[in-house]
Structures are given as structure tokens and as C-alpha cells.
């Protein structure tokens, strides 16, 4: 379900039945790591100290620390599936966001207990992206967009919905705060800012049913992938296949 590579040659993969693999690009081999759970694991994030955090069904969070041969699984205070995780490191430590079904959001530093973050959303949440400056965007069903902030009391605001926006599956946020979200029915949303008062716009798209992921290339172009191998490159107001 999820894969993440690090600059130290390690590639981590998570999947069904607590599958957790650590792979090496140089040796072209993988080894299985005990995840401490049989839950399906959907997503993962790795801190600068190479601690791996993975999330999955039934509120499962698995933590794998450097030098340990097995990981520790800790269920959060929810039975909801956890679909996504992302964090950032700073001089003061890590700030990690977790989100999942039914508007479930948790925030923590990987040391103290995870804190539930209340939102007014009941949507299933599937996409997450941070700007590296303390602002995280989370997207999900029915065009839901949450703008979450790292503070002494972390919280999330629900951005005003755009008419006609369907389910959102992925989001990419630039360091400037501008972010792009994609999803069902060829939906592409561009927002200039992560603030609750930000005015977002729809980018017209034709000929594609579902857009699954969005990222940015080294040149700064927005790249979107969708059904049937479709790949789009986007400028400020339009996208081309």
C-alpha cells in the first residue's frame, strides 16, 4: 500500500497483514521486519533519525526505531482506519500528523502519546502534504480540505468547499503554501494559500475519470497521474497530457 525511500539507500514498503519490508536499492533485496501487528498498513513516514512510523486499520500505529530488529505497534484511541501519515523535523523535534476515516486526525511528536485533533469533518481522509513550515493540508471525500497548523495546541480548519468538487485522493503543497489536490471525475483543485480564507479554483480537465496522485518535479512543474496511465503536467491555469 505504501512505499518511501531514504537517501541512505533504504526503501521501506508496507502492506496487508502487517507487512513491513526494508529494501536496499544497491543490493536489490528486501528483508521482512516484524511490524508487531497483523493489521493492514497503508502509509508510512520516516524521521530524520530514521525512525519509521506506519499507520493502518483499526487505529494501528507501528513504530520502528534504528537498531531494533522488530517494531512496536500501539493502537490509538480510535477504531477507525488510519490512511495517511506525514511529519516534519525541526530543532525542537518531530511534528507528525495522522488522518483516516470519519474525519479522524491525530498529531504527535513520536515520543508523547498521540493527541486527537477535533474537526467538524466526518469525511474519510486520503491525502496529506506539509509545506515544511508548520502547515499541513489533508484532503478526502466530498471535496474535504483540512488546513492544519503546528502550534502549542495543534488544530485543523475546514476550508470552504468548492461547488462540484468530488472525492479528493491526493494533495501536494509547495513551500510557499500553494497546494494542488486531485481526485474523482478528473478533479484538480488549486489553492494559493493554506489559510481558511483561501480562495481555491478548479482547473478544467477532460478525458480522465480518476486522478490518483499529485507531486512536483525538479523544474517546479505540478505532475498528476490518473487512470489508464494518464500523466499531466500543469501550469498556473491548465494541464496538458
Amino acid at each position: 500500500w505504501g512505499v518511501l525511500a531514504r537517501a541512505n539507500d533504504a526503501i521501506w514498503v508496507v502492506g496487508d497483514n502487517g507487512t513491513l519490508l526494508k529494501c536496499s536499492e544497491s543490493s536489490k533485496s528486501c528483508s521482512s521486519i516484524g511490524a508487531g501487528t497483523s493489521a493492514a498498513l497503508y502509509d508510512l513516514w520516516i524521521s530524520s533519525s530514521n525512525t519509521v512510523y506506519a499507520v493502518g486499520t483499526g487505529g494501528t500505529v507501528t513504530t520502528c526505531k534504528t537498531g531494533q530488529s522488530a517494531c512496536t505497534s500501539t493502537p490509538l484511541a480510535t477504531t477507525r482506519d488510519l490512511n495517511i501519515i506525514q511529519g516534519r523535523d525541526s530543532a525542537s523535534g518531530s511534528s507528525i500528523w495522522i488522518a483516516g476515516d470519519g474525519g479522524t486526525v491525530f498529531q504527535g511528536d513520536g515520543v508523547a502519546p498521540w493527541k486527537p485533533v477535533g474537526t467538524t469533518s466526518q469525511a474519510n481522509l486520503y491525502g496529506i502534504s506539509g509545506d515544511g513550515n508548520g502547515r499541513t493540508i489533508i484532503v478526502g471525500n466530498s471535496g474535504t480540505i483540512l488546513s492544519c497548523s503546528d502550534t502549542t495546541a495543534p488544530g485543523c480548519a475546514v476550508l470552504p468547499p468548492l461547488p462540484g468538487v468530488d472525492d479528493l485522493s491526493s494533495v501536494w503543497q509547495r513551500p510557499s503554501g500553494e497546494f494542488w489536490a486531485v481526485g474523482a471525475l478528473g478533479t484538480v483543485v488549486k489553492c494559493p494559500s493554506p489559510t481558511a480564507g483561501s480562495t481555491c479554483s478548479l482547473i478544467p480537465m477532460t478525458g480522465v475519470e480518476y486522478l490518483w496522485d499529485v507531486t512536483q518535479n525538479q523544474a517546479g512543474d505540478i505532475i498528476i497521474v490518473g487512470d489508464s496511465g494518464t500523466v499531466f503536467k500543469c501550469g498556473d491555469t491548465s494541464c496538458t497530457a
Side-chain angles (χ1 to χ4, degrees), residues 17 49 55 65 76 90 172 204 208 220 229 232:
N17 302 312
S49 61
V55 297
K65 295 185 177 181
L76 298 191
S90 67
W172 179 264
V208 61
F232 295 93

Side-chain angles (χ1 to χ4, degrees), residues 174-213:
R174 300 181 190 268
S176 65
E178 175 188 288
F179 65 92
W180 294 64
V182 302
L185 304 178
T187 297
V188 178
V189 177
K190 177 188 176 185
C191 300
S193 166
T195 61
S198 176
T199 302
C200 302
S201 59
L202 281 172
I203 305 296
M205 300 288 285
T206 58
V208 61
E209 179 64 21
Y210 209 107
L211 300 171
W212 291 101
D213 206 359

Side-chain angles (χ1 to χ4, degrees), residues 43-45 84-89 95-98 126-139 145-150 170-180 193-194 214-216 222:
D43 197 16
L44 70 162
W45 179 74
I84 46 178
I85 179 171
Q86 192 174 99
R88 69 182 183 97
D89 292 311
S95 177
I96 308 166
W97 290 86
I98 296 171
Y126 296 119
I128 187 169
S129 181
D131 64 0
N133 299 307
R135 181 72 67 171
T136 297
I137 299 296
I138 300 172
V139 301
I145 302 176
L146 304 181
S147 179
C148 304
S149 176
D150 291 345
S170 183
V171 61
W172 179 264
Q173 189 176 187
R174 300 181 190 268
S176 65
E178 175 188 288
F179 65 92
W180 294 64
S193 166
V214 55
T215 188
Q216 178 179 315
I222 294 295

Side-chain angles (χ1 to χ4, degrees), residues 109-140:
D109 60 6
V111 180
W114 299 94
K115 301 174 184 177
V117 178
T119 74
T120 58
S121 173
Q122 295 297 313
N124 294 343
L125 303 171
Y126 296 119
I128 187 169
S129 181
D131 64 0
N133 299 307
R135 181 72 67 171
T136 297
I137 299 296
I138 300 172
V139 301

